[in-house]
Amino acid sequence: MEEKRNKSSLFSGIPGIAALFSLAAAASYFQAWQAAAFFFLLLFLCGSSFLWSRRVLKQIEVSVKALSGEGYAGDRLSLEINVKNNSFFPLTWLDVLLPTGTRELVCQTLAENVRRYQLEGWREAQTGIRLRFAWLLWQQEIRWTEELTALRRGVAVLEGASLQAGDGLGLSARERWYAFSVPAGLTVYPGIVPVRPQPFLKVFQEAAARNRGQTEDMTILKSSRPYMPGDPVKRINWRLLAGSGQMEVNVYETVMPGCMTFLLDLSSFRRTAERKEEQGLACLDLFLLERDLERMISLVASCMRTVAGYQIPAALIIPAYGDREAVLCIPDGEEPEMLLKQAMEALAKVDYRAEEPHFPYEEFWQAGHKLGNVHICTRTDEASGLDGLAEGLGRSRARYLVLERQARAAGEFECLYEEDICLERLDWGNMEKEVLVGRCMRDGGSNETDH
C-alpha cells in the first residue's frame, strides 16, 4: 500500500498569501470591513505558518543505532532512534521516515502491513520505518527503541531520514532530508527451513575414510623445518640433505576432507524468450526465475547452517555477475561459526538480475584442496553450464543440490533434491515466479536494455 506524504495548503505558499493580501486590500477599499477582517485573519495565520515552516526543521537532529541489526528472515531486529529539537519553537507534529529500499525487507512489529512512501526527489516509492510524534517541545530530546520484524533477505543501509513537520491547523507541511553522520545497517539473512543432516554427514564420513584420518595433502609442499626426533623418515627432504648437509623434514599443506562447499549456479535461474516485434525485428526477453532463486538461496543457507551445527566447515562460492565480483567464502583457519556468518552475509547481498554470470575458475582450482565435497546448487537436474567443473572434480567430490526433478538426470553424479531433504518449506506464494528484467532489440535495431 502506497501512502503519500502530507502537503501544504495552497494558501500557505507565496501565491496564496499574495491572493489573500489582494482580497483583504480589495475588501478594505470597498469598505467591506467584516470581509476585510476575515481575510486579514487568514493572511496572518497563513503568513505565520509559512514563516514558521521554513525554519522549524533546520533545528532537528536525528541519529540511529542498530542494537540488533542482523538476523534471519522471521527474526526480530531493533533500532535505537534519537530525535532532538534544538529550536525555541515547538513542533505540533513530526514524521520521521527511515527508507529501507524498494523491497519489503523489514516492517515495524506493531504495524499491520508494509507501506510505501513517495519521497520528494525520489524516483521510486520506498518502503520505510515511519515514526510520528505530537508536540515535540523546544529543547526536548526523545530516545526510544523500535522493534522490527525481518520479512525477507536483503541489506539496507540507513543513510538518513526524511523529516516532515507542519502546524496544527494543517496549513503548512515541510519536508527535509537529514543525512546521518554515522549510517546504520540492517542485514536480513535468508529464511531457514529444517533439513535432514544425514546426507551431509554421510558424505563427511566417507571423505574422512578416504583420507584415512590424514589432514595433510602429500602432493602440496608448504615449507620445511629442522628434523626432530620421532619425525617419519619418509618426510625427510633428501635433496636438501644431499646439497647442504642440513636435515629437514617437509611440511605439507593442510586439507579439510570434511569441508562442504556450496556453489550457486546462477545461470540456471535465467530464461530467455525470443519474439517478433511489429516492425519485424527480433526481440529477446530476459527473465529471472525470482521465486526459484529465493528458494535455492534459502535452501543453501539452511544446509550450511545445518552442517555448521556439526562443526563441519561450510564454504560458499557465488559467481561474478554485472558489476559484482565473485564471492569465495573458503575456510582459512576460521571457526565454522565465523565462516557461516560470512556466507550468510554474502547470500543476503545477492542482487542477481539475470546478468551473464562468470565463474572464477582460477581462484576455484587454486583453493580446490580446501573445498572438500562440492555441491553444485542448480534449479533442475538437467544439463548445467558447470557440468565440466563437476567432471574435473570427479564423482567422489561433486554432486548436485537440485530444486526440481526433471526427466533427464545429471548423468553419473549424485543429486540431492529439495523435496527429499527439506522437512518444511517456506511460503513463496506472494512472489512472482518470472520477472522480466531485460529486453534486447536485434536484426539491425539498436540494442536497448530496460531494467
Side-chain angles (χ1 to χ4, degrees):
M1 179 183 296
E2 183 173 340
E3 182 171 325
K4 295 184 179 180
R5 307 284 275 163
N6 295 303
K7 294 184 178 181
S8 300
S9 170
L10 295 176
F11 290 105
S12 62
I14 294 179
I17 292 175
L20 289 175
F21 179 79
S22 300
L23 291 174
S28 300
Y29 178 79
F30 290 105
Q31 299 182 358
W33 306 119
Q34 293 183 348
F38 174 75
F39 287 127
F40 274 118
L41 177 62
L42 287 182
L43 178 63
F44 173 76
L45 293 176
C46 293
S48 300
S49 177
F50 173 79
L51 296 176
W52 176 83
S53 64
R54 288 299 186 274
R55 301 186 56 84
V56 65
L57 288 179
K58 294 183 179 180
Q59 303 298 324
I60 301 297
E61 292 183 3
V62 182
S63 62
V64 174
K65 179 181 178 182
L67 299 179
S68 176
E70 300 176 353
Y72 292 89
D75 291 349
R76 295 290 179 88
L77 309 179
S78 60
L79 292 176
E80 182 184 84
I81 306 174
N82 186 75
V83 176
K84 184 177 181 181
N85 181 14
N86 292 319
S87 174
F88 289 102
F89 299 96
L91 286 173
T92 308
W93 60 269
L94 173 68
D95 273 0
V96 179
L97 177 63
L98 305 174
T100 56
T102 57
R103 302 178 65 184
E104 298 179 353
L105 183 68
V106 296
C107 73
Q108 293 167 271
T109 302
L110 299 180
E112 297 180 356
N113 49 35
V114 178
R115 295 180 179 272
R116 295 182 177 273
Y117 306 91
Q118 187 64 52
L119 304 183
E120 183 178 356
W122 294 58
R123 295 181 57 185
E124 296 183 88
Q126 300 283 310
T127 61
I129 304 165
R130 189 181 71 172
L131 305 155
R132 178 165 288 180
F133 304 94
W135 289 109
L136 185 62
L137 303 179
W138 48 88
Q139 301 299 317
Q140 183 180 6
E141 183 176 0
I142 299 178
R143 179 177 299 171
W144 77 99
T145 300
E146 183 68 23
E147 298 293 332
L148 308 174
T149 300
L151 299 178
R152 56 182 296 176
R153 67 163 191 91
V155 176
V157 179
L158 306 180
E159 299 180 344
S162 175
L163 308 179
Q164 190 177 34
D167 55 65
L169 300 176
L171 294 175
S172 180
R174 302 295 297 177
E175 187 171 356
R176 173 175 174 251
W177 176 257
Y178 183 90
F180 299 146
S181 57
V182 180
L186 297 174
T187 303
V188 180
Y189 303 143
I192 300 297
V193 295
V195 298
R196 296 172 53 242
Q198 288 79 8
F200 304 101
L201 298 179
K202 177 182 176 182
V203 172
F204 170 77
Q205 295 167 356
E206 291 175 352
R210 286 196 304 270
N211 287 271
R212 297 185 179 90
Q214 301 294 324
T215 59
E216 292 182 326
D217 191 339
M218 305 298 289
T219 64
I220 305 176
L221 180 62
K222 183 178 181 180
S223 61
S224 61
R225 61 172 176 79
Y227 176 83
M228 298 178 62
D231 287 335
V233 177
K234 63 180 181 180
R235 293 197 177 189
I236 296 177
N237 193 328
W238 297 104
R239 179 176 299 178
L240 183 62
L241 178 62
S244 62
Q246 298 179 0
M247 182 174 291
E248 296 194 359
V249 295
N250 295 326
V251 178
Y252 298 99
E253 186 69 49
T254 301
V255 297
M256 307 184 73
C259 179
M260 297 287 175
T261 299
F262 295 86
L263 195 161
L264 195 57
D265 182 14
L266 295 176
S267 61
S268 64
F269 298 94
R270 63 201 300 261
R271 185 178 69 85
T272 57
E274 185 173 336
R275 59 185 177 85
K276 290 289 186 178
E277 293 284 346
E278 295 180 358
Q279 297 82 0
L281 299 178
C283 179
L284 191 64
D285 291 339
L286 185 62
F287 294 90
L288 172 66
L289 305 178
E290 185 177 6
R291 185 174 62 183
D292 291 343
L293 177 60
E294 293 298 326
R295 283 172 53 196
M296 175 54 75
I297 291 177
S298 176
L299 180 60
V300 170
S302 302
C303 294
M304 295 187 70
R305 190 177 180 184
T306 298
V307 300
Y310 290 88
Q311 298 300 308
I312 303 174
L316 174 67
I317 298 178
I318 303 176
Y321 57 91
D323 57 355
R324 301 272 185 115
E325 296 183 356
V327 175
L328 290 91
C329 295
I330 299 174
D332 192 15
E334 300 97 338
E335 293 294 329
E337 292 79 8
M338 183 60 65
L339 186 63
L340 177 65
K341 182 179 179 181
Q342 296 175 3
M344 293 299 106
E345 290 178 353
L347 289 174
K349 293 178 180 178
V350 171
D351 189 20
Y352 183 59
R353 305 304 300 168
E355 301 95 337
E356 183 68 30
H358 303 282
F359 187 79
Y361 287 99
E362 182 177 355
E363 294 86 348
F364 176 85
W365 291 116
Q366 287 178 355
H369 61 283
K370 301 180 181 180
L371 299 179
N373 295 89
V374 178
H375 297 75
I376 300 176
C377 307
T378 184
R379 190 175 67 88
T380 68
D381 53 11
E382 296 180 334
S384 168
L386 297 177
D387 287 345
L389 183 69
E391 294 175 359
L393 291 169
R395 185 176 181 181
S396 62
R397 291 189 61 193
R399 63 177 177 174
Y400 289 84
L401 185 62
V402 183
L403 281 185
E404 298 179 2
R405 193 187 302 267
Q406 299 290 343
R408 184 161 62 91
E412 60 180 3
F413 295 94
E414 181 184 0
C415 291
L416 285 178
Y417 294 94
E418 179 194 30
E419 60 185 23
D420 295 331
I421 64 174
C422 282
L423 301 178
E424 297 178 7
R425 292 190 182 182
L426 294 176
D427 182 16
W428 305 102
N430 295 329
M431 185 180 296
E432 294 293 335
K433 184 175 182 180
E434 293 187 0
V435 178
L436 178 64
V437 295
R439 179 167 295 167
C440 180
M441 303 296 294
R442 301 188 302 174
D443 295 342
S446 60
N447 292 332
E448 298 180 357
T449 303
D450 299 327
H451 293 286

XYZ file of all heavy atoms in Angstrom, residues 275-336:
477
model
N 10.936 -13.190 -29.465
C 9.658 -12.906 -30.105
C 9.855 -11.819 -31.159
O 10.864 -11.118 -31.177
C 8.620 -12.449 -29.079
C 9.003 -11.205 -28.306
C 7.977 -10.893 -27.221
N 8.361 -9.743 -26.430
C 8.111 -8.485 -26.768
N 7.462 -8.224 -27.912
N 8.488 -7.478 -26.003
N 8.884 -11.682 -32.027
C 8.945 -10.731 -33.136
C 8.142 -9.474 -32.805
O 7.020 -9.552 -32.319
C 8.401 -11.374 -34.417
C 9.290 -12.466 -35.004
C 10.565 -11.884 -35.609
C 11.365 -12.973 -36.316
N 12.587 -12.418 -36.949
N 8.764 -8.316 -33.068
C 8.065 -7.053 -32.913
C 7.240 -6.755 -34.164
O 7.348 -7.453 -35.185
C 9.082 -5.923 -32.670
C 9.814 -6.021 -31.351
C 8.946 -5.609 -30.185
O 7.891 -4.999 -30.433
O 9.318 -5.912 -29.034
N 6.376 -5.738 -34.091
C 5.537 -5.382 -35.228
C 6.367 -4.953 -36.433
O 5.970 -5.164 -37.570
C 4.572 -4.261 -34.824
C 3.575 -4.667 -33.758
C 2.653 -3.528 -33.402
O 2.845 -2.428 -33.966
O 1.736 -3.740 -32.590
N 7.544 -4.343 -36.179
C 8.400 -3.905 -37.280
C 9.205 -5.046 -37.887
O 9.993 -4.846 -38.811
C 9.367 -2.815 -36.793
C 8.705 -1.536 -36.304
C 8.217 -1.662 -34.868
O 8.381 -2.707 -34.239
N 7.587 -0.603 -34.364
N 9.034 -6.264 -37.375
C 9.763 -7.407 -37.896
C 11.091 -7.655 -37.223
O 11.811 -8.582 -37.616
N 11.443 -6.856 -36.221
C 12.703 -7.045 -35.509
C 12.541 -8.139 -34.463
O 11.481 -8.310 -33.865
C 13.123 -5.741 -34.841
C 13.372 -4.544 -35.770
C 13.730 -3.310 -34.952
C 14.479 -4.863 -36.753
N 13.618 -8.881 -34.269
C 13.622 -9.928 -33.254
C 13.929 -9.302 -31.902
O 14.886 -8.536 -31.763
C 14.661 -10.988 -33.587
N 13.118 -9.616 -30.912
C 13.287 -9.078 -29.564
C 13.554 -10.235 -28.618
O 12.820 -11.230 -28.605
C 12.037 -8.309 -29.128
S 12.146 -7.625 -27.470
N 14.603 -10.111 -27.842
C 14.988 -11.149 -26.896
C 14.638 -10.683 -25.487
O 15.219 -9.717 -24.991
C 16.493 -11.439 -26.996
C 16.990 -12.680 -26.242
C 16.373 -13.940 -26.833
C 18.508 -12.750 -26.278
N 13.668 -11.342 -24.871
C 13.273 -11.010 -23.498
C 14.058 -11.873 -22.521
O 14.207 -13.088 -22.713
C 11.777 -11.258 -23.294
C 10.930 -10.265 -24.075
O 11.463 -9.201 -24.424
O 9.760 -10.575 -24.348
N 14.553 -11.239 -21.480
C 15.342 -11.926 -20.468
C 14.552 -11.959 -19.168
O 14.138 -10.914 -18.654
C 16.678 -11.202 -20.260
C 17.688 -11.858 -19.321
C 18.104 -13.220 -19.851
C 18.920 -10.969 -19.166
N 14.325 -13.148 -18.633
C 13.522 -13.338 -17.433
C 14.393 -13.895 -16.308
O 15.317 -14.668 -16.544
C 12.356 -14.307 -17.682
C 11.332 -13.796 -18.651
C 11.456 -14.054 -20.004
C 10.248 -13.058 -18.207
C 10.519 -13.588 -20.910
C 9.297 -12.588 -19.100
C 9.430 -12.854 -20.460
N 14.055 -13.494 -15.090
C 14.669 -14.063 -13.893
C 13.624 -14.890 -13.160
O 12.524 -14.402 -12.864
C 15.187 -12.954 -12.978
C 15.683 -13.403 -11.599
C 16.930 -14.275 -11.743
C 15.950 -12.215 -10.698
N 13.943 -16.141 -12.870
C 13.062 -17.002 -12.091
C 13.286 -16.678 -10.617
O 13.978 -17.389 -9.888
C 13.353 -18.470 -12.406
C 13.283 -18.836 -13.896
C 13.631 -20.297 -14.116
C 11.901 -18.543 -14.458
N 12.682 -15.572 -10.197
C 12.998 -14.998 -8.890
C 12.577 -15.900 -7.743
O 13.317 -16.077 -6.775
C 12.326 -13.629 -8.757
C 12.693 -12.899 -7.485
C 12.075 -11.524 -7.422
O 11.280 -11.193 -8.317
O 12.367 -10.795 -6.466
N 11.407 -16.478 -7.840
C 10.940 -17.317 -6.741
C 11.823 -18.543 -6.574
O 12.163 -18.933 -5.448
C 9.486 -17.751 -6.994
C 8.884 -18.530 -5.830
C 7.422 -18.806 -6.053
N 7.182 -19.625 -7.231
C 5.978 -19.967 -7.671
N 4.906 -19.521 -7.051
N 5.845 -20.724 -8.738
N 12.239 -19.151 -7.683
C 13.121 -20.315 -7.604
C 14.483 -19.933 -7.043
O 15.087 -20.703 -6.282
C 13.283 -20.949 -8.983
C 11.999 -21.598 -9.474
O 11.110 -21.831 -8.628
O 11.872 -21.866 -10.678
N 14.992 -18.761 -7.433
C 16.276 -18.326 -6.898
C 16.192 -18.109 -5.389
O 17.110 -18.489 -4.647
C 16.718 -17.041 -7.604
C 18.030 -16.416 -7.110
C 19.189 -17.385 -7.289
C 18.308 -15.109 -7.834
N 15.110 -17.501 -4.914
C 14.962 -17.298 -3.475
C 14.841 -18.629 -2.752
O 15.369 -18.792 -1.640
C 13.738 -16.418 -3.191
C 13.864 -14.987 -3.684
C 15.005 -14.249 -3.015
O 15.276 -14.523 -1.835
O 15.634 -13.398 -3.677
N 14.159 -19.591 -3.347
C 14.070 -20.918 -2.744
C 15.440 -21.558 -2.621
O 15.771 -22.148 -1.588
C 13.156 -21.814 -3.588
C 11.673 -21.554 -3.432
C 10.876 -22.353 -4.448
N 11.205 -23.772 -4.423
C 10.883 -24.623 -5.402
N 10.264 -24.190 -6.488
N 11.198 -25.895 -5.300
N 16.253 -21.427 -3.664
C 17.580 -22.034 -3.630
C 18.472 -21.347 -2.605
O 19.217 -22.004 -1.873
C 18.215 -21.983 -5.019
C 19.655 -22.494 -5.056
S 19.842 -24.167 -4.370
C 19.145 -25.153 -5.705
N 18.426 -20.016 -2.544
C 19.242 -19.303 -1.566
C 18.843 -19.718 -0.154
O 19.697 -19.927 0.723
C 19.099 -17.785 -1.762
C 19.772 -17.364 -3.080
C 19.712 -17.021 -0.604
C 19.617 -15.896 -3.405
N 17.540 -19.864 0.093
C 17.079 -20.318 1.404
C 17.539 -21.746 1.679
O 17.951 -22.071 2.810
C 15.554 -20.231 1.467
O 15.063 -20.756 2.685
N 17.498 -22.606 0.658
C 17.931 -23.988 0.838
C 19.421 -24.062 1.127
O 19.867 -24.816 2.001
C 17.586 -24.790 -0.418
C 17.977 -26.275 -0.414
C 17.274 -26.999 0.723
C 17.647 -26.925 -1.750
N 20.224 -23.285 0.410
C 21.668 -23.275 0.645
C 21.976 -22.792 2.058
O 22.797 -23.380 2.777
C 22.372 -22.394 -0.406
C 23.832 -22.165 -0.026
C 22.294 -23.037 -1.776
N 21.313 -21.704 2.480
C 21.540 -21.190 3.834
C 21.150 -22.226 4.886
O 21.847 -22.389 5.903
C 20.743 -19.901 4.034
N 20.069 -22.941 4.654
C 19.616 -23.949 5.617
C 20.608 -25.104 5.699
O 20.926 -25.585 6.793
C 18.227 -24.471 5.214
O 17.290 -23.422 5.135
N 21.108 -25.552 4.549
C 22.073 -26.655 4.542
C 23.384 -26.246 5.205
O 23.981 -27.016 5.981
C 22.326 -27.124 3.110
S 20.894 -27.877 2.302
N 23.848 -25.027 4.924
C 25.102 -24.574 5.510
C 24.973 -24.440 7.025
O 25.897 -24.790 7.772
C 25.510 -23.235 4.891
C 25.829 -23.301 3.415
S 26.494 -21.748 2.754
C 28.105 -21.738 3.532
N 23.847 -23.945 7.481
C 23.650 -23.810 8.926
C 23.559 -25.175 9.595
O 24.043 -25.354 10.722
C 22.381 -23.003 9.186
C 22.205 -22.600 10.636
C 20.976 -21.739 10.828
N 20.818 -21.354 12.215
C 19.796 -20.656 12.689
N 18.839 -20.267 11.861
N 19.717 -20.339 13.954
N 22.985 -26.146 8.905
C 22.863 -27.487 9.473
C 24.220 -28.149 9.629
O 24.542 -28.688 10.690
C 21.957 -28.350 8.586
O 20.646 -27.780 8.549
C 21.857 -29.762 9.130
N 25.051 -28.116 8.584
C 26.360 -28.774 8.670
C 27.284 -28.032 9.628
O 28.123 -28.640 10.295
C 27.004 -28.903 7.276
C 26.115 -29.723 6.351
C 27.277 -27.537 6.656
N 27.137 -26.685 9.723
C 27.956 -25.932 10.674
C 27.608 -26.314 12.107
O 28.463 -26.240 12.994
C 27.774 -24.437 10.457
N 26.370 -26.727 12.338
C 25.986 -27.177 13.672
C 26.697 -28.437 14.098
O 26.778 -28.732 15.298
N 27.220 -29.201 13.145
C 28.013 -30.395 13.433
C 29.515 -30.110 13.349
O 30.309 -31.041 13.222
C 27.640 -31.519 12.464
C 26.269 -32.087 12.711
C 25.141 -31.535 12.118
C 26.085 -33.180 13.558
C 23.873 -32.046 12.351
C 24.825 -33.704 13.792
C 23.721 -33.133 13.182
O 22.465 -33.646 13.427
N 29.892 -28.819 13.417
C 31.293 -28.389 13.371
C 31.987 -28.807 12.083
O 33.184 -29.071 12.061
C 32.057 -28.938 14.585
C 31.537 -28.436 15.917
C 31.616 -26.902 16.016
O 32.670 -26.309 15.784
N 30.494 -26.278 16.363
N 31.222 -28.857 10.997
C 31.782 -29.127 9.676
C 31.913 -27.802 8.938
O 30.922 -27.093 8.773
C 30.884 -30.092 8.877
C 30.676 -31.400 9.640
C 31.481 -30.365 7.504
C 29.689 -32.338 8.979
N 33.102 -27.411 8.493
C 33.240 -26.148 7.763
C 32.396 -26.156 6.490
O 32.387 -27.132 5.741
C 34.735 -26.079 7.439
C 35.379 -27.002 8.415
C 34.388 -28.094 8.679
N 31.662 -25.075 6.253
C 30.807 -24.944 5.074
C 31.284 -23.749 4.261
O 31.271 -22.615 4.756
C 29.342 -24.774 5.473
N 31.721 -23.985 3.029
C 32.213 -22.932 2.142
C 31.125 -22.544 1.148
O 30.213 -23.331 0.860
C 33.461 -23.397 1.401
N 31.234 -21.325 0.626
C 30.251 -20.802 -0.319
C 30.974 -20.134 -1.476
O 31.935 -19.383 -1.266
C 29.332 -19.783 0.368
C 28.338 -19.043 -0.527
C 27.283 -20.002 -1.070
C 27.691 -17.883 0.216
N 30.493 -20.402 -2.699
C 31.045 -19.776 -3.898
C 29.880 -19.234 -4.723
O 28.945 -19.971 -5.045
C 31.873 -20.759 -4.734
C 33.066 -21.257 -3.911
C 32.350 -20.107 -6.031
C 33.905 -22.276 -4.639
N 29.941 -17.932 -5.047
C 28.935 -17.279 -5.880
C 29.656 -16.668 -7.071
O 30.580 -15.867 -6.885
C 28.169 -16.189 -5.107
C 27.512 -16.780 -3.857
C 27.122 -15.537 -5.994
C 26.825 -15.755 -2.980
N 29.294 -17.008 -8.306
C 29.972 -16.432 -9.482
C 29.787 -14.917 -9.563
O 28.880 -14.341 -8.962
C 29.296 -17.154 -10.661
C 28.669 -18.373 -10.070
C 28.286 -18.006 -8.670
N 30.647 -14.279 -10.330
C 30.540 -12.838 -10.570
C 29.404 -12.566 -11.550
O 29.111 -13.386 -12.427
C 31.858 -12.297 -11.113
N 28.749 -11.407 -11.417
C 27.681 -11.004 -12.336
C 27.581 -9.486 -12.296
O 27.803 -8.853 -11.261
C 26.345 -11.639 -11.945
C 25.896 -11.333 -10.542
C 25.092 -10.228 -10.265
C 26.281 -12.136 -9.474
C 24.678 -9.946 -8.978
C 25.879 -11.852 -8.183
C 25.074 -10.767 -7.936
O 24.680 -10.484 -6.653
N 27.252 -8.901 -13.442
C 27.135 -7.447 -13.505
C 28.419 -6.780 -13.047
O 29.507 -7.088 -13.530
N 28.305 -5.860 -12.091
C 29.488 -5.216 -11.519
C 29.877 -5.827 -10.176
O 30.715 -5.277 -9.462
C 29.241 -3.713 -11.340
C 28.024 -3.435 -10.458
O 27.321 -4.391 -10.075
O 27.779 -2.251 -10.162
N 29.298 -6.980 -9.843
C 29.621 -7.677 -8.597
C 30.727 -8.695 -8.844
O 30.677 -9.470 -9.809
C 28.384 -8.398 -8.052
C 27.195 -7.495 -7.757
C 27.263 -6.943 -6.367
N 26.069 -6.170 -6.037
C 25.214 -6.535 -5.088
N 25.399 -7.628 -4.382
N 24.165 -5.768 -4.830
N 31.713 -8.707 -7.955
C 32.785 -9.679 -8.049
C 32.349 -11.006 -7.454
O 31.382 -11.081 -6.692
C 34.029 -9.160 -7.318
C 34.624 -7.895 -7.926
C 35.883 -7.464 -7.217
O 36.244 -8.115 -6.198
O 36.520 -6.492 -7.661
N 33.072 -12.057 -7.831
C 32.753 -13.380 -7.305
C 33.005 -13.439 -5.804
O 33.872 -12.747 -5.273
C 33.589 -14.434 -8.025
N 32.221 -14.256 -5.124
C 32.337 -14.440 -3.678
C 32.885 -15.826 -3.417
O 32.356 -16.823 -3.910
C 30.968 -14.273 -2.992
C 31.071 -14.590 -1.508
C 30.440 -12.870 -3.200
N 33.974 -15.905 -2.651
C 34.558 -17.174 -2.246
C 34.760 -17.151 -0.741
O 35.742 -16.591 -0.240
C 35.896 -17.440 -2.955
C 35.823 -17.733 -4.455
C 35.950 -16.454 -5.266
C 36.915 -18.710 -4.859
N 33.808 -17.719 -0.008
C 33.928 -17.869 1.448
C 34.521 -19.245 1.704
O 33.795 -20.248 1.754
C 32.573 -17.715 2.125
S 31.846 -16.066 1.956
N 35.840 -19.299 1.855
C 36.581 -20.547 1.926
C 37.226 -20.659 3.298
O 37.764 -19.664 3.814
C 37.646 -20.610 0.814
C 36.960 -20.553 -0.547
C 38.491 -21.860 0.929
C 37.908 -20.471 -1.703
N 37.203 -21.839 3.936
C 37.829 -21.982 5.260
C 39.322 -21.724 5.190
O 40.036 -22.287 4.372
C 37.517 -23.435 5.641
C 37.187 -24.120 4.360
C 36.582 -23.084 3.474
N 39.779 -20.836 6.056
C 41.195 -20.486 6.116
C 41.594 -20.268 7.573
O 42.154 -19.241 7.941
C 41.469 -19.228 5.294
C 42.957 -19.000 5.078
O 43.732 -19.940 5.302
O 43.337 -17.881 4.705
N 41.258 -21.228 8.388
C 41.586 -21.149 9.806
C 40.474 -20.598 10.661
O 40.580 -20.609 11.890
N 39.365 -20.104 10.053
C 38.273 -19.563 10.854
C 37.457 -20.689 11.486
O 37.444 -21.827 11.020
C 37.338 -18.703 9.994
C 38.010 -17.511 9.336
C 38.409 -17.823 7.912
O 38.547 -19.018 7.598
O 38.604 -16.870 7.142
N 36.782 -20.340 12.558
C 35.834 -21.267 13.158
C 34.629 -21.425 12.233
O 34.290 -20.514 11.476
C 35.380 -20.749 14.519
C 36.473 -20.714 15.569
C 36.965 -22.107 15.935
O 36.144 -23.053 15.877
O 38.156 -22.236 16.259
N 33.962 -22.605 12.264
C 32.780 -22.792 11.409
C 31.716 -21.724 11.598
O 31.044 -21.333 10.642
C 32.272 -24.182 11.827
C 33.490 -24.895 12.326
C 34.323 -23.835 12.987
